[in-house]
Amino acid sequence: MSELARQFDTESALIADLLATRPLLSALNFHNTPARRRDELDRQLAHVARHYTPVDEDDLDAWLATGKWHKPKPGMVLAFYEGYRNGHDVIRPLLEKHGLIGWFFVITGFIDAPVAKQLDYALAHGIEMETREYAGDGRYALSWDEIRALDETHVVASHARSHRPIAPMTATERRAEVVGSQERLTGMLGHAVRTFVSWGGPAYGDDRAVDRLVDEAGYQFQFSNFRIQRLRAGPPSN
């Protein structure tokens, strides 16, 4: 059996155990959410609002710590990856229309790329561009002002620095991906972020060198392909 197959079997067994012992909390992942899909996204979020309740990091913390869910409907984590500008222009109004909370996983290198180079940066780092809806001014990433606005009522989290596999990187590059992204977000938001996910969705425990950096950065939660892990009690200190 290959290492990947063994990992899949282990994760599947873990998921089966969790489903048997804890109430179900779901996650729905989005990437690019262009304006041309606004009506479709509106219908999807209306469905979520009817059948689920929004989840913030305190809700997640309590659920993972106790296994008890304190709201009348199941929870739904709505995750929006990469840091596309349409997360603010398209998704934010729809979330607020339906009383939902979005989790915005931003790639700090994408946010910091000069506007004139953002499209090239995206194409070079596996950040899919479904449309060219911002060809006019060329800004495809969220601005820091938009991220701060999202941070007021939603969740802003780290999707690392450059959207590349961390394992093959040098030690310096790895630190920039994990700790550097936290430092950048902390500096721009005025507080540390609690949640981290890297390219490809490896879990905490898959790579000890990366785990040490996650600990150094103080992230409380790590998202991966098969689970959400609570790494420590309480949010990180600034």
Side-chain angles (χ1 to χ4, degrees):
M1 179 183 292
S2 71
E3 180 61 31
L4 182 61
R6 281 193 291 272
Q7 180 181 344
F8 182 82
D9 285 348
T10 300
E11 296 283 4
S12 297
L14 174 64
I15 291 168
D17 179 65
L18 290 175
L19 291 177
T21 58
R22 292 176 182 262
L24 181 62
L25 186 148
S26 301
L28 184 59
N29 296 333
F30 297 83
H31 291 80
N32 206 332
T33 54
R36 68 175 180 79
R37 293 179 54 207
R38 192 188 311 269
D39 291 344
E40 173 194 349
L41 292 163
D42 191 14
R43 290 192 297 271
Q44 290 180 9
L45 295 181
H47 176 84
V48 170
R50 283 193 299 272
H51 298 285
Y52 298 88
T53 195
V55 176
D56 64 19
E57 286 167 308
D58 288 339
D59 295 327
L60 179 63
D61 188 24
W63 180 72
L64 290 175
T66 68
K68 297 178 181 179
W69 185 243
H70 60 285
K71 296 183 178 182
K73 292 190 288 187
M76 175 66 79
V77 173
L78 295 168
F80 300 90
Y81 286 93
E82 272 76 274
Y84 297 102
R85 177 178 174 180
N86 50 39
H88 179 271
D89 296 349
V90 177
I91 287 299
R92 183 188 180 194
L94 294 178
L95 290 170
E96 294 173 1
K97 172 184 176 180
H98 295 294
L100 297 170
I101 295 171
W103 292 56
F104 292 87
F105 290 85
V106 300
I107 302 164
T108 55
F110 182 36
I111 307 304
D112 285 333
V115 168
K117 297 182 178 180
Q118 283 184 355
L119 182 57
D120 290 339
Y121 185 96
L123 297 176
H125 291 81
I127 302 170
E128 295 182 5
M129 286 296 159
E130 184 175 334
T131 68
R132 300 292 189 271
E133 63 186 326
Y134 295 113
D137 65 12
R139 181 169 68 83
Y140 288 90
L142 292 165
S143 70
W144 284 110
D145 283 343
E146 289 165 346
I147 293 171
R148 281 188 284 267
L150 289 167
D151 188 54
E152 292 176 1
T153 52
H154 300 281
V155 175
V156 173
S158 171
H159 195 12
R161 182 173 177 268
S162 70
H163 204 239
R164 294 185 296 141
I166 295 180
M169 292 181 177
T170 67
T172 299
E173 290 171 333
R174 285 181 171 195
R175 193 175 191 284
E177 287 294 306
V178 182
V179 179
S181 61
Q182 172 71 283
E183 291 173 345
R184 183 61 170 151
L185 285 159
T186 299
M188 298 306 290
L189 297 177
H191 65 84
V193 301
R194 299 167 68 174
T195 304
F196 175 77
V197 63
S198 62
W199 184 92
Y204 187 91
D206 288 348
D207 186 320
R208 290 185 179 180
V210 175
D211 294 347
R212 286 193 291 271
L213 294 170
V214 169
D215 292 337
E216 179 184 344
Y219 296 110
Q220 185 183 12
F221 307 110
Q222 183 157 329
F223 280 48
S224 63
N225 287 337
F226 293 98
R227 53 181 162 156
I228 301 170
Q229 295 165 284
R230 180 180 185 265
L231 308 179
R232 54 191 49 84
S237 58
N238 292 343

